């Protein structure tokens, strides 16, 4: 029996070990506690599809310090680390080091990446550096998701890396994909949002949120389009609740994007929004109902792209930028901060490079799994891996007439001015309140006669 140990799998595994899902008895109770990123489940699911093991057990990094959960010596043929944002300035993997030292056999990370709002050198915690050096010594190569991540590993003195992208891109297990064509005027659009982007997860949180607002406004006006929640708390609660609770969550979403009173957006959130905890169901729904996916969730777009459904990325952090560049996916850079003309955007998106680059990246992924001696089921590549890096942004260049540009920036300036005024009023109210408190504290006490 071939047995696999997984670090940070983060989901239940279906019988047959080829699919992952979130097992909830009560989704409302779970999401009332907080959001859950179902994109991580997609990565795990795609990893399982590529590998061939009879028995699979996973342990979360958060539980890695519990020795009772560790595998016994010699009981597993290999360990894989499910890809995610493990190279940051805020994540310390020191508690995982004792387990990594104890593990027998190869320890292979698949699709790991560095995370930052924008390109910069990272001051990685010592515990994380030690953890990755142990892993590097226990594998042939570390599979990283892009060239920025490879650079950060190199800065740590770890050279045995291979740029493979994210396993989710290869979920179809096909050595090539064909991207379907788009009818810009009639296309059914799948929308993904990410409401809480800041710090390491956005180079500019304000621009990111305002661009999402503009995208909601455009997509909601297409009655055939829908929004997919990727574990967002308010969105998921709105889908699975009813009555006042549902409306409160919809109101929270509209408020976040300054869209209260937007009739089409409210209707979309009420009637055209879906969330899935089973990856097979999520993929099937996208295949049946979406002609093009557009938005701010990496894996919310990949759930379409790996099936040949076109997807357009909005790039706002290091992760999205390096993956979009690696696969030559048409993208809009939020730092450009231009108005959204949805039909022109769909017309101008060029997917001609994606199919070619995918075949090359797939070959690299196949080589990575093979050289690390992982049991896998990937068919042979139809292209050779690239001799030189082929990573470059594929930005969608949309022309805007003077009226569009002036109208967009005038409304944005009005909004920003209002926000500044609100902050000034809050600061003034705080100052006057503090003055009042201080004056009461400093007033002489009355002496009784």
């Amino acid at each position: 029996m071939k047995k696999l140990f997984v670090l940070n799998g983060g989901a239940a595994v279906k019988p047959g070990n080829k699919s992952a899902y979130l097992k909830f008895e009560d989704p409302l109770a779970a999401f009332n506690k907080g959001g859950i990123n179902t994109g991580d489940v997609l990565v795990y699911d795609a990893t399982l599809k590529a590998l061939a093991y009879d028995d699979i057990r996973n342990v979360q990094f958060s539980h890695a310090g519990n020795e009772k959960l560790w595998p016994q010596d010699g009981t597993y043929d290999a360990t894989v680390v499910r890809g995610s944002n493990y190279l940051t300035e805020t994540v310390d993997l020191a508690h995982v080091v004792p387990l990594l030292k104890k593990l027998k056999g190869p320890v292979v990370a698949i699709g790991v990446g560095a995370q930052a709002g924008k390109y910069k050198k990272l001051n990685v915690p010592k515990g994380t550096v030690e953890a990755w050096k142990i892993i590097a010594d226990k594998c042939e190569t570390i599979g990283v998701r892009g060239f920025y991540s490879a650079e950060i590993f190199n800065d740590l003195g770890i050279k045995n890396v291979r740029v493979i992208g994210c396993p989710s891109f290869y979920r179809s297990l096909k050595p090539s994909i064909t991207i379907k064509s788009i009818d810009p005027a009639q296309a059914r659009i799948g929308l993904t949002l990410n409401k809480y982007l800041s710090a390491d997860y956005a180079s500019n949180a304000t621009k990111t949120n305002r661009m999402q607002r503009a995208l909601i406004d455009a997509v909601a006006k297409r009655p055939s389009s829908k929004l997919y929640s990727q574990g967002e708390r308010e969105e998921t609660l709105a889908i699975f609740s009813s009555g006042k609770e549902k409306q409160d969550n919809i109101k929270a979403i509209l408020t976040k994007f300054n869209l209260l009173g937007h009739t089409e957006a409210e209707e979309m959130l009420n009637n055209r929004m879906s969330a899935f905890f089973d990856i097979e169901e999520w993929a099937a729904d996208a295949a049946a109902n979406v002609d093009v996916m557009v938005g701010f969730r990496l894996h919310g777009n990949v759930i379409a792209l790996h099936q040949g459904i076109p997807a357009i990325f909005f790039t706002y952090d290091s992760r999205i930028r390096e993956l979009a560049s690696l696969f030559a996916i048409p993208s809009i850079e939020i730092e450009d901060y231009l108005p959204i003309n949805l039909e022109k955007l769909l017309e101008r998106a060029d997917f001609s490079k994606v199919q070619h680059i995918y075949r090359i990246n797939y070959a690299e992924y196949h080589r990575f799994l093979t050289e690390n001696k992982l049991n896998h089921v990937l068919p042979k590549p139809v292209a050779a891996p690239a001799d030189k890096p082929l990573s470059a942004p594929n930005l969608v260049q949309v022309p805007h007439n003077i009226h569009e540009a002036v109208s967009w920036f005038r409304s944005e300036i009005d909004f920003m001015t209002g926000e500044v005024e609100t902050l000034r009023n809050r600061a003034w109210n705080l100052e006057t309140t503090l003055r009042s408190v201080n004056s009461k504290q400093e007033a002489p006490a009355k002496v009784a006669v």
Side-chain angles (χ1 to χ4, degrees):
M1 176 181 285
K2 297 175 181 177
K3 302 178 72 175
L4 183 70
F5 183 61
V6 181
L7 274 173
N8 228 35
V13 180
K14 287 185 177 181
N17 300 328
K18 288 300 179 185
S19 189
Y21 71 106
L22 290 174
K23 190 175 183 179
F24 289 130
E25 292 184 5
D26 186 349
L28 283 175
F31 279 86
N32 268 311
K33 295 178 182 178
I36 300 172
N37 184 2
T38 53
D40 290 338
V41 187
L42 173 57
V43 178
Y44 190 23
D45 178 89
T47 303
L48 293 175
K49 280 181 165 45
L51 300 178
Y53 288 86
D54 304 308
D55 181 72
I56 295 175
R57 176 184 169 197
N58 75 77
V59 171
Q60 290 291 83
F61 271 169
S62 57
H63 300 149
N66 185 350
E67 293 188 30
K68 294 180 181 179
L69 300 177
W70 294 6
Q72 298 301 310
D73 289 351
T75 58
Y76 288 87
D77 299 288
T79 297
V80 300
V81 181
R82 188 261 299 161
S84 192
N85 309 318
Y86 301 136
L87 275 182
T88 77
E89 295 183 328
T90 56
V91 174
D92 192 337
L93 299 179
H95 68 289
V96 188
V97 168
L99 170 58
L100 292 172
K101 290 180 177 179
K102 188 78 171 178
L103 289 171
K104 304 295 183 183
V107 180
V108 185
I110 306 178
V112 66
Q115 181 65 47
K118 55 187 175 182
Y119 175 84
K120 66 175 183 178
K121 298 293 185 179
L122 296 183
N123 183 21
V124 180
K126 291 182 179 179
T128 297
V129 176
E130 183 180 4
W132 283 111
K133 287 188 174 180
I134 293 170
I135 293 172
D137 287 340
K138 292 192 174 190
C139 67
E140 188 68 26
T141 51
I142 295 173
V144 300
R145 67 180 174 218
F147 289 96
Y148 174 59
S149 298
E151 179 183 330
I152 298 301
F153 270 114
N154 186 71
D155 291 343
L156 302 181
I158 297 173
K159 313 291 184 180
N160 57 325
V161 302
R162 189 171 295 286
V163 175
I164 62 171
C166 177
S168 57
F169 283 81
Y170 314 110
R171 184 177 180 270
S172 68
L173 306 182
K174 295 178 180 179
S176 65
I177 57 172
T178 301
I179 304 297
K180 300 172 184 176
S181 59
I182 304 172
D183 178 348
Q186 302 297 325
R188 299 168 300 168
I189 297 171
L191 171 65
T192 64
L193 301 175
N194 199 335
K195 296 193 296 300
Y196 302 105
L197 292 170
S198 61
D200 287 344
Y201 288 86
S203 54
N204 188 305
T206 299
K207 288 181 179 178
T208 302
N209 284 332
R210 294 301 292 174
M211 293 294 285
Q212 288 189 85
R213 181 189 186 278
L215 189 58
I216 296 169
D217 172 63
V219 172
K221 292 173 180 175
R222 291 200 174 200
S224 60
S225 299
K226 64 184 296 187
L227 188 152
Y228 286 89
S229 174
Q230 193 182 301
E232 294 273 326
R233 181 176 178 273
E234 292 89 353
E235 292 170 7
T236 307
L237 288 174
I239 292 165
F240 289 95
S241 63
S242 59
K244 184 177 184 300
E245 183 179 1
K246 180 183 184 75
Q247 295 308 313
D248 286 347
N249 283 293
I250 289 174
K251 183 178 179 181
I253 300 168
L254 294 171
T255 300
K256 173 69 178 180
F257 293 111
N258 194 35
L259 284 168
L260 284 173
H262 192 298
T263 305
E264 294 93 346
E266 184 174 351
E267 189 276 328
M268 180 175 69
L269 295 179
N270 267 291
N271 304 312
R272 295 182 277 136
M273 186 161 61
S274 297
F276 296 94
F277 309 131
D278 184 301
I279 303 302
E280 300 285 358
E281 294 177 1
W282 184 11
D285 191 271
N289 297 294
V290 173
D291 297 316
V292 57
M293 195 76 77
V294 179
F296 285 74
R297 298 302 302 235
L298 168 63
H299 294 107
N301 291 337
V302 174
I303 198 70
L305 197 63
H306 86 270
Q307 302 183 85
I309 302 168
I312 300 171
F313 284 17
F314 281 74
T315 51
Y316 51 81
D317 69 356
S318 66
R319 178 184 61 149
I320 307 293
R321 290 183 181 111
E322 70 175 342
L323 279 167
S325 296
L326 184 68
F327 286 89
I329 301 165
S331 57
I332 300 292
E333 172 55 54
I334 64 101
E335 292 293 353
D336 292 342
Y337 202 47
L338 293 170
I340 292 176
N341 183 314
L342 196 54
E343 191 162 333
K344 287 183 181 178
L345 174 60
L346 300 182
E347 287 175 354
R348 295 274 176 154
D350 180 8
F351 289 89
S352 61
K353 296 179 182 178
V354 177
Q355 297 175 157
H356 170 64
I357 296 296
Y358 173 89
R359 291 193 289 270
I360 294 171
N361 289 341
Y362 174 93
E364 197 75 349
Y365 185 47
H366 186 281
R367 179 162 69 175
F368 164 77
L369 294 180
T370 302
E371 71 188 1
N372 281 286
K373 297 180 174 58
L374 292 173
N375 297 306
H376 68 83
V377 296
L378 290 186
K380 290 182 179 180
V382 294
D387 293 329
K388 298 179 181 179
L390 296 175
S391 182
N394 179 11
L395 297 177
V396 183
Q397 303 295 335
V398 178
H400 299 285
N401 62 43
I402 191 67
H403 174 74
E404 283 180 323
V406 169
S407 177
W408 161 257
F409 284 111
R410 180 173 290 161
S411 65
E412 290 301 292
I413 290 170
D414 287 346
F415 171 78
M416 300 298 180
T417 303
E419 291 293 286
V420 169
E421 191 63 27
T422 297
L423 291 174
R424 284 176 174 166
N425 287 336
R426 288 177 181 173
W428 174 248
N429 289 336
L430 177 60
E431 182 177 343
T432 55
T433 300
L434 289 174
R435 286 179 182 176
S436 176
V437 170
N438 290 334
S439 64
K440 290 179 180 178
Q441 291 175 343
E442 294 170 0
K446 294 182 178 179
V447 179
V449 177

